Amino acid sequence: MLRIVLMVSLVLTSGVTLAAEVRIHTPQPSWSSLPVVTSDNRTYSGFNSGFNPYFDAAYGLSVLNWPKTEWQRANEPDGSSRHAVVGRFFRVGGGISWRSILSGGMNVWLWNADDNKSTTDSDERSSNTVYQQDGAAFSWNVRAMLPIQTGLGPWFGYGRMCLRASATSLDSAREVSGCTPMWQAGLSLGGFGSRAVSLYLEYDRAHFEAVHSYAISAGLRGVF
């Protein structure tokens, strides 16, 4: 506790000294009050204030729908002209968020797929056999959320993705590269802990000239 002491002395002719003491006390912050202040600041900056940076990371499944090769078209029993390859991907990115309702950012995607059913025996090969798929992409997007509660609600986004991917099957090796619009939809499941971190589910769709891309993922977004 802070104390200010003021001493006033009077010396009388008789040699007697009179003294007066004035004390002023002011409150001092305690350690127990600091966690409350810190927690309130995190909650406010994460969801209720103006513009704040964010970081997110996600993991999910993607489907690249490739046109079939001549061999596949000739041997595919259903006569379909396309072949879907399912793979796994990891996405990381960041950007700027306004009150967690509007945001814009950039992401890097990395994914691959392996088919354990692949074989080098031409007599046993199947039109569905694709034993390797690799790809990388860069994207930017803007999104708007309809908040049901703080950090909770559906959202929709639009952006652009630049992709480079390859798929290798027993009869061919193919590549696709280029940039295309991207559509997104998702659901934020609300914050936890400091409430500046939220779990979300996301669906992405993009169509290149020859390849159609679909992805679903689960991720974490942290607002600072």
Side-chain angles (χ1 to χ4, degrees):
M1 183 175 293
L2 181 64
R3 182 174 66 182
I4 299 177
V5 179
L6 176 63
M7 298 293 297
V8 179
S9 298
L10 296 176
V11 180
L12 302 181
T13 56
S14 61
V16 178
T17 301
L18 300 178
E21 180 178 303
V22 179
R23 288 184 171 87
I24 301 175
H25 303 284
T26 59
Q28 220 174 2
S30 63
W31 286 107
S32 61
S33 65
L34 293 180
V36 176
V37 174
T38 305
S39 177
D40 290 343
N41 286 340
R42 285 200 303 264
T43 301
Y44 182 78
S45 64
F47 289 97
N48 301 319
S49 63
F51 292 93
N52 294 277
Y54 73 84
F55 172 84
D56 69 16
Y59 180 82
L61 297 177
S62 68
V63 177
L64 291 186
N65 200 322
W66 297 80
K68 287 184 177 178
T69 64
E70 294 183 4
W71 187 92
Q72 287 176 323
R73 286 194 299 269
N75 292 272
E76 186 69 29
D78 60 6
S80 174
S81 62
R82 307 191 67 84
H83 175 69
V85 181
V86 180
R88 303 165 301 276
F89 74 91
F90 175 73
R91 182 182 65 242
V92 63
I96 297 293
S97 173
W98 180 75
R99 295 180 180 269
S100 295
I101 299 175
L102 296 175
S103 65
M106 297 176 290
N107 295 276
V108 175
W109 307 57
L110 298 172
W111 68 84
N112 65 9
D114 295 301
D115 191 339
N116 295 327
K117 296 179 180 179
S118 63
T119 175
T120 57
D121 188 344
S122 60
D123 294 332
E124 297 179 1
R125 67 182 180 177
S126 167
S127 60
N128 293 323
T129 300
V130 175
Y131 60 86
Q132 186 174 4
Q133 175 179 278
D134 298 288
F138 171 82
S139 67
W140 62 264
N141 72 292
V142 293
R143 82 176 200 182
M145 186 176 76
L146 179 62
I148 299 175
Q149 296 178 2
T150 302
L152 172 65
W155 55 266
F156 302 91
Y158 173 81
R160 193 166 182 84
M161 173 186 285
C162 294
L163 169 74
R164 182 177 182 86
S166 63
T168 306
S169 60
L170 289 174
D171 61 308
S172 68
R174 293 169 289 171
E175 289 190 358
V176 62
S177 61
C179 299
T180 187
M182 176 179 62
W183 295 266
Q184 301 173 308
L187 176 64
S188 177
L189 302 179
F192 60 90
S194 67
R195 300 184 65 192
V197 178
S198 61
L199 174 67
Y200 67 88
L201 303 176
E202 180 175 319
Y203 170 76
D204 302 273
R205 179 169 64 96
H207 289 172
F208 297 87
E209 291 184 2
V211 178
H212 300 168
S213 172
Y214 309 92
I216 185 170
S217 62
L220 292 173
R221 170 176 287 208
V223 182
F224 304 100

